[in-house]
Amino acid sequence: MTDKKAHLTIDGINTTIELPIYSSTIGPDVIDVTSITKNGFFTFDPGFMSTASCESGITFIDGEEGVLLHRGYPIEQLAVSSDYLETCYLLLNGELPTPAQKEEFTAAIKQHSAVDPSIANIIKSFKRESHPMAILCSAVAALAAVYNDEIDITNEASRKLTAYRLIGQMPTLSAMVYKHRQGEEFIAPDDSLSYAENYLNMTFGTAGKAPNVSKTIAKAMDRIFVLHADHEQNASTSTVRLSGSSGTNPFAAIAAGISTLWGPAHGGANEAVLEMLEEIGSVENIEACVARAKDKTSGFRLMGFGHRVYKNFDPRAKVMKQTCDEVLAELGLENDPLLAIAKRLEQIALEDPYFISKKLYPNVDFYSGIIMKAIGIPTEMFTVIFALGRAVGWYSHWDEMVSSPYKIGRPRQQYTGSPKRDYPQK
Ligand code: CMC
């Protein structure tokens, strides 16, 4: 908080409205506009382009500079030197764990990775061809039913247990969604494996057979989870906060976040990237695709390019690109036709004046889609993996909100409908 103030004058109002300004640790300070309703106005900011909806100490983004920090640590350093569970601990607790704390946390997550048998029945009741995000959303919402009587959102220990359950069960649920669609038997979690290995084994393993997971692929998977762990007040996280602000069950709030993530402008972009690459079909068709993306009347956008916040580069994309090259080399896929289209598209877009002038760079979804395709994950599962990684971010934001005094989220509107009128007399 500072002594700085903004002063607002409005035509027709004699007094100047004084608005307090609060300091951020880094990034823009915020003008507190809550008092302007007393003067008969609302602020108007569709798409929340300049509205800070909350105070938060979890993640910082500077889109112009391509900076992403979790609890102050740069994402590039976490991606290379940390791992997913350590990053989860950091997001949830604000500090990196000591070795003993990390061991305890890892053990707690593993202990809570098995799902209630009722969830298996719910997943099995879906048609095989159902979209995996629809199944995942329902499965996570069903956790609200399983644990509703045990959750006390005002109790810290109860919230901690909920975090263990969510982070522990997301890989299990995601793998079950995949296995159901494949018509294969579910595989139980194996606590001798790391978090990413366990997910890969439950997804690609065969029931009754010993796990056989490549270390390089598990490392790439873990990095995908780290790079998706949190991203400040994006659409899905804001949904979780808004939903949670009513005091609802946290699993229900997170199911709402999963629904939001599904959309192609958000998490669904990695799926859309692969669909676009498949539609392009061959390197010769790339120019036409780029021309279509530049034509406003086409309604088509180059999927995996551009970002609401990053207008320089997406720091996650840089690390993801490196992992992408490693995975393709490990799998001997450097010459895969689809990946050749992706590489050429990236090159053309990075050199094209339209994309340069609009600051449209490949985002994290561009490269994560390519990696997951190379690993053998079906396109429709990509957003499920995003959700798996992001669960801790959603949870941390919900937890941060409910641990301090908070209000139910209730945006206002500029009403442009009919003035009051009387119902016609009959
Ligand atoms: N292809 C072609 N033109 C584009 C693209 C694109 N991918 N993205 C933005 N533009 C143009 C847009 O037409 C507009 O042009 P003009 O100024 O002439 O009207 C300008 O660039 C600014 O676009 P905007 O829609 O105002 O930007 P935004 O900040 O609202 O949208 C975005 C950001 C990510 C929704 C958008 O860039 C997009 O649709 N990208 C493709 C989908 C995608 O890859 N999404 C994943 C985002 S990263 C994952 C995550 O964090 O969830």
Side-chain angles (χ1 to χ4, degrees):
M1 192 147 341
T2 65
D3 294 335
K4 277 199 286 178
K5 291 188 170 54
H7 295 93
L8 178 68
T9 54
I10 300 176
D11 289 351
I13 296 184
N14 288 336
T15 51
T16 299
I17 305 166
E18 201 176 80
L19 304 170
I21 298 182
Y22 307 135
S23 296
S24 303
T25 329
I26 32 175
D29 292 343
V30 297
I31 303 173
D32 180 347
V33 295
T34 46
S35 67
I36 76 161
T37 50
K38 286 190 216 127
N39 296 284
F41 290 94
F42 294 141
T43 53
F44 183 61
D45 184 19
F48 304 108
M49 304 290 284
S50 24
T51 294
S53 60
C54 61
E55 182 187 335
S56 179
I58 301 174
T59 290
F60 173 76
I61 298 175
D62 182 337
E64 291 300 325
E65 296 298 323
V67 173
L68 168 59
L69 310 177
H70 291 322
R71 303 288 192 181
Y73 295 103
I75 189 66
E76 299 89 330
Q77 293 177 22
L78 292 172
V80 173
S81 309
S82 182
D83 59 39
Y84 182 66
L85 285 187
E86 189 178 65
T87 304
C88 288
Y89 185 97
L90 173 69
L91 287 167
L92 291 165
N93 298 287
E95 295 298 333
L96 287 167
T98 62
Q101 286 168 330
K102 186 174 176 189
E103 205 178 306
E104 199 184 319
F105 182 72
T106 304
I109 298 294
K110 287 183 176 181
Q111 194 196 330
H112 293 285
S113 58
V115 300
D116 187 87
S118 65
I119 305 286
N121 292 334
I122 289 169
I123 292 176
K124 282 182 191 162
S125 71
F126 278 86
K127 280 194 205 162
R128 289 257 155 78
E129 58 279 20
S130 308
H131 195 286
M133 283 297 277
I135 313 179
L136 182 73
C137 186
S138 308
V140 172
L143 293 181
V146 173
Y147 299 118
N148 196 45
D149 295 341
E150 296 175 34
I151 296 176
D152 175 359
I153 66 170
T154 63
N155 178 296
E156 197 182 333
S158 169
R159 292 203 304 271
K160 208 172 194 179
L161 178 60
T162 304
Y164 295 156
R165 283 172 168 158
L166 177 74
I167 298 166
Q169 293 179 33
M170 280 301 278
T172 319
L173 292 175
S174 306
M176 287 167 83
V177 169
Y178 173 81
K179 286 293 195 198
H180 174 64
R181 285 172 45 90
Q182 296 291 109
E184 292 172 16
E185 217 178 301
F186 297 146
I187 296 185
D190 180 339
D191 63 15
S192 71
L193 300 174
S194 73
Y195 193 81
E197 285 171 342
N198 187 37
Y199 169 70
L200 288 166
N201 182 54
M202 289 188 291
T203 301
F204 295 121
T206 309
K209 280 202 175 165
N212 180 19
V213 180
S214 142
K215 291 278 172 207
T216 310
I217 304 299
K219 190 177 146 214
M221 203 71 237
D222 192 80
R223 193 167 281 182
I224 289 177
F225 296 154
V226 171
L227 293 176
H228 285 94
D230 190 38
H231 211 230
E232 204 227 57
Q233 311 306 325
N234 55 80
S236 57
T237 302
S238 298
T239 300
V240 172
R241 278 188 182 259
L242 188 58
S243 170
S245 75
S246 71
T248 192
N249 182 300
F251 290 112
I254 284 167
I258 294 175
S259 307
T260 306
L261 185 74
W262 189 359
H266 193 5
N270 50 20
E271 182 178 345
V273 169
L274 260 288
E275 279 163 5
M276 179 185 74
L277 295 178
E278 274 157 9
E279 204 184 301
I280 293 173
S282 80
V283 175
E284 302 81 68
N285 299 333
I286 294 177
E287 299 278 0
C289 169
V290 172
R292 210 173 128 221
K294 285 159 45 177
D295 173 8
K296 280 249 168 303
T297 59
S298 72
F300 170 74
R301 286 183 168 195
L302 220 49
M303 287 293 127
F305 286 79
H307 199 275
R308 166 56 66 82
V309 178
Y310 297 119
K311 300 298 178 192
N312 183 339
F313 65 90
D314 180 342
R316 303 166 301 171
K318 270 195 171 175
V319 193
M320 202 62 104
K321 180 174 164 52
Q322 189 195 331
T323 307
C324 185
D325 293 339
E326 282 167 23
V327 169
L328 299 188
E330 155 96 3
L331 297 172
L333 285 173
E334 297 101 319
N335 300 321
D336 182 88
L338 207 65
L339 303 172
I341 299 173
K343 288 202 159 172
R344 183 78 189 114
L345 184 65
E346 174 198 20
Q347 193 187 3
I348 292 180
L350 287 175
E351 289 166 359
D352 190 299
Y354 172 93
F355 292 90
I356 295 171
S357 66
K358 294 191 187 300
K359 300 185 174 180
L360 300 169
Y361 299 91
N363 55 47
V364 67
D365 288 324
F366 186 73
Y367 299 108
S368 65
I370 298 170
I371 298 173
M372 290 191 279
K373 164 81 184 167
I375 293 175
I377 295 171
T379 316
E380 322 81 72
M381 283 295 294
F382 289 3
T383 319
V384 167
I385 289 169
F386 190 156
L388 196 175
R390 182 56 57 84
V392 67
W394 291 327
Y395 188 86
S396 304
H397 283 272
W398 172 84
D399 189 61
E400 183 182 60
M401 180 181 71
V402 300
S403 324
S404 314
Y406 62 101
K407 281 188 185 314
I408 185 167
R410 177 58 171 92
R412 303 306 299 255
Q413 63 172 6
Q414 176 199 11
Y415 177 69
T416 52
S418 166
K420 181 170 183 266
R421 50 184 160 167
D422 290 324
Y423 186 80
Q425 295 297 319
K426 289 193 178 137

